[in-house]
Amino acid sequence: MRRRRTGRRGAARGLIALAAAALLAGCGIRTTTVPVDAGAAPSRVPCEAAAGGRVDGGTRTADEPAGGARDEAVAPGRRGVPLRVYLLCGAQLERVERGSSLPEEKAVGDPVRTAAALLTQLTAEPSDGEREAGFSSAAQAPLTVGGPHRGDPKPTLRLSRQPEDLPPAALAQLVCTFAESTAGVGGDTVVLGGPGPYEPRRYRCTEQLKERPESPVPSARP
């Protein structure tokens, strides 16, 4: 008797399971016997900023220091070349375009001046709009850039700090920003040195570096 009751109970349970599966299938829900990994939740950080970079309306030109004073007056309605800098967003480097008062002839013919204008943008506080979009910068003031020391290769840029002493992400920002401008020396590279007598090095901006700015920046002798 116990065996028959056990068999009947097992059959009843099987019928209930089949009925439940049919009901779920009728509702458009596919049953599964294994856990399903839906992946991480989609990020809400858009990593997009309006053209001109500082989307809150407080555009800082390339010649304006972080303190607010400008090195030179800008004629009304006059705009220089747009400057493209790399900021951090979503643990990667993303390019942002900023407004500039730097005349085109000076941007092309003076790598040091171009680098100084770019560095001003990198060390400036992101605007409210940029912060809302997820942008930040690891490059912090005080940090300046000048020309080569005696005996350096001509395109060398000398920073006020040794490049290897900068946070890795900050150095990645500088390298990719400079290398993709007229301050670079071609081939997505830029020659950087510090204030001391140490030999400068040629740094390269790669796609891998843009994806992982905390990784070591590729470099070699100039």
Side-chain angles (χ1 to χ4, degrees):
M1 292 297 291
R2 290 182 179 176
R3 293 182 178 176
R4 291 180 182 178
R5 288 179 182 177
T6 302
R8 289 176 182 176
R9 289 177 182 174
R13 291 174 182 171
L15 290 173
I16 292 173
L18 289 174
L23 180 61
L24 290 174
C27 295
I29 301 175
R30 181 177 296 177
T31 60
T32 179
T33 58
V34 295
V36 177
D37 183 7
S43 173
R44 294 186 179 182
V45 178
C47 291
E48 293 180 359
R54 309 189 70 82
V55 294
D56 62 348
T59 303
R60 178 181 295 138
T61 61
D63 290 327
E64 182 181 350
R70 297 188 183 183
D71 292 336
E72 58 182 289
V74 181
R78 178 182 176 184
R79 289 184 61 84
V81 294
L83 296 178
R84 297 176 177 86
V85 299
Y86 277 95
L87 300 181
L88 296 169
C89 190
Q92 296 183 352
L93 293 184
E94 299 288 346
R95 193 166 66 175
V96 173
E97 185 172 299
R98 297 277 181 81
S100 163
S101 63
L102 187 65
E104 183 175 1
E105 62 274 13
K106 293 182 179 179
V108 173
D110 192 341
V112 176
R113 182 167 183 154
T114 299
L118 292 167
L119 186 58
T120 296
Q121 296 291 334
L122 287 172
T123 56
E125 287 291 330
S127 68
D128 292 341
E130 288 171 341
R131 281 193 293 268
E132 291 175 2
F135 289 98
S136 64
S137 180
Q140 301 293 320
L143 184 63
T144 60
V145 62
H149 289 178
R150 180 178 297 180
D152 285 346
K154 188 175 181 180
T156 298
L157 299 173
R158 287 278 181 174
L159 301 172
S160 57
R161 294 178 60 186
Q162 285 297 128
E164 59 270 21
D165 291 340
L166 295 172
L171 181 57
Q173 283 183 257
L174 265 66
V175 168
C176 287
T177 298
F178 290 166
E180 295 187 8
S181 74
T182 56
V185 294
D188 292 328
T189 63
V190 61
V191 179
L192 295 177
Y198 305 105
E199 182 183 30
R201 295 187 66 82
R202 182 187 294 262
Y203 294 86
R204 181 178 301 277
C205 176
T206 64
E207 292 301 320
Q208 292 76 14
L209 183 63
K210 294 176 184 178
E211 294 174 359
R212 298 178 178 84
E214 293 289 346
S215 60
V217 180
S219 68
R221 296 187 65 183

